[in-house]
Amino acid sequence: MKKFLFTLLLGSVFSMAQAQISAKLMRYVDVSETQISFVYGGDIWLVDKNGGTAIQLTNSAGEESYPKFSPDGKEVAFTASYNGNPDIYVMSVNGGVPVRLTYGSHFDRMVDWHPDGNRILFASRRETGIPSGRVNQLFYINKAGGLPTRLPVPYGEIASFSADGSKMAYITKITETYPFKRYRGGLTSDVILFDFSENKATNITENMANDGKPTWVGDKIYFLSDRGPQMRLNIWRYDLSSKSIEQVTKFTDFDITYLSGSMNELVFEV
């Protein structure tokens, strides 16, 4: 059975370490084999999964967001606004100077690491050619820098790779965090499975509910959905072998607001 980490527990640890600070403002959690990362006050913090004092990794006037651990847990890639524009940066979990990877004039949002540990996936509007600029596309960039390469999908927002990198689960719209709840309409999102070898996309959650935050763990794809009877955002699981979908968490009072994971664990905010 896969393990689940509740950031509610992390909040208790952080509150004890910094009694004057409310850890309820934690955002954008992620997990590696040994640590949990999160954003508080616009900076990235790390804490051991077994508990302890949270360590501030970044400290700048700019705001960091969407931190994601590398597959080996030694680096963190994230979005940061250091020069008036959100770009992708990477740095060691031991600290140091962040290395800037993208230089576009659009918002570059960190999405995920490729399982090879060398490429970083991010979302950007840099090539859409749409005046309103409301459609993101997915790009690779090497962690050492260079020119971005667009993925062979029309557009995308959030994604997660299979362990071998041959497939990707992604969404094209972010509706699970809309300010209005229980939305049912033409803008709801679905989880799409893309096979790179066949260049084929398959909608695996086709319905009128909000499905988002896909996270690939083992041979299962986990995602948030409000398809349940209470219409609360909970974690659901898609089995690639049986193509069946089942509910994992059953919160009835509050939505799960964020979901992320490593190759064998999930972490989420509730």
Side-chain angles (χ1 to χ4, degrees), residues 68 171 208:
K68 294 287 292 186
I171 60 172
M208 291 299 292

Side-chain angles (χ1 to χ4, degrees), residues 42-257:
D43 287 305
I44 299 172
W45 298 69
L46 303 177
V47 67
D48 191 279
K49 288 197 313 187
N50 296 318
T53 301
I55 304 300
Q56 188 172 353
L57 181 65
T58 62
N59 184 8
S60 69
E63 180 179 355
E64 291 92 11
S65 57
Y66 304 101
K68 294 287 292 186
F69 286 108
S70 59
D72 61 9
K74 295 181 179 180
E75 295 173 291
V76 175
F78 53 93
T79 292
S81 298
Y82 294 148
N83 297 282
N85 186 73
D87 286 295
I88 305 299
Y89 292 79
V90 64
M91 68 183 298
S92 168
V93 295
N94 296 319
V97 178
V99 176
R100 185 177 180 179
L101 300 183
T102 64
Y103 292 83
S105 59
H106 292 85
F107 189 123
D108 295 333
R109 174 167 40 79
M110 176 63 193
V111 175
D112 201 8
W113 287 76
H114 190 275
D116 64 17
N118 293 317
R119 287 177 287 173
I120 290 170
L121 183 70
F122 70 96
S124 178
R125 299 168 182 170
R126 57 178 59 210
E127 291 186 13
T128 59
I130 299 175
S132 63
R134 298 183 65 182
V135 177
N136 275 314
Q137 296 172 314
L138 297 174
F139 296 82
Y140 286 132
I141 192 166
N142 193 283
K143 71 174 185 179
L147 294 176
T149 302
R150 185 162 65 87
L151 270 65
V153 296
Y155 45 92
E157 293 286 353
I158 296 174
S160 181
F161 293 101
S162 60
D164 61 1
S166 65
K167 297 180 178 65
M168 176 182 73
Y170 74 103
I171 60 172
T172 58
K173 297 182 288 289
I174 301 177
T175 57
E176 74 277 8
T177 53
Y178 273 3
F180 45 90
K181 303 292 185 179
R182 327 307 156 209
Y183 171 74
R184 296 293 186 269
L187 292 179
T188 54
S189 61
D190 290 306
V191 179
I192 300 171
L193 177 62
F194 187 79
D195 189 317
F196 289 100
S197 61
E198 298 182 2
N199 201 34
K200 179 182 178 181
T202 305
N203 188 329
I204 61 174
T205 65
E206 191 170 3
N207 69 94
M208 291 299 292
N210 295 284
D211 301 321
K213 302 290 190 297
T215 304
W216 204 308
V217 179
D219 60 351
K220 309 282 193 307
I221 297 172
Y222 295 82
F223 59 96
L224 295 184
S225 179
D226 61 3
R227 64 178 63 202
Q230 285 80 28
M231 298 179 75
R232 297 291 182 188
L233 285 170
N234 274 287
I235 298 175
W236 293 69
R237 175 173 53 213
Y238 176 83
D239 189 303
L240 281 89
S241 300
S242 64
K243 298 183 180 180
S244 62
I245 295 177
E246 62 178 328
Q247 188 170 355
V248 177
T249 64
K250 297 181 180 180
F251 294 101
T252 58
D253 295 328
F254 298 97
D255 292 308
I256 293 177
T257 56

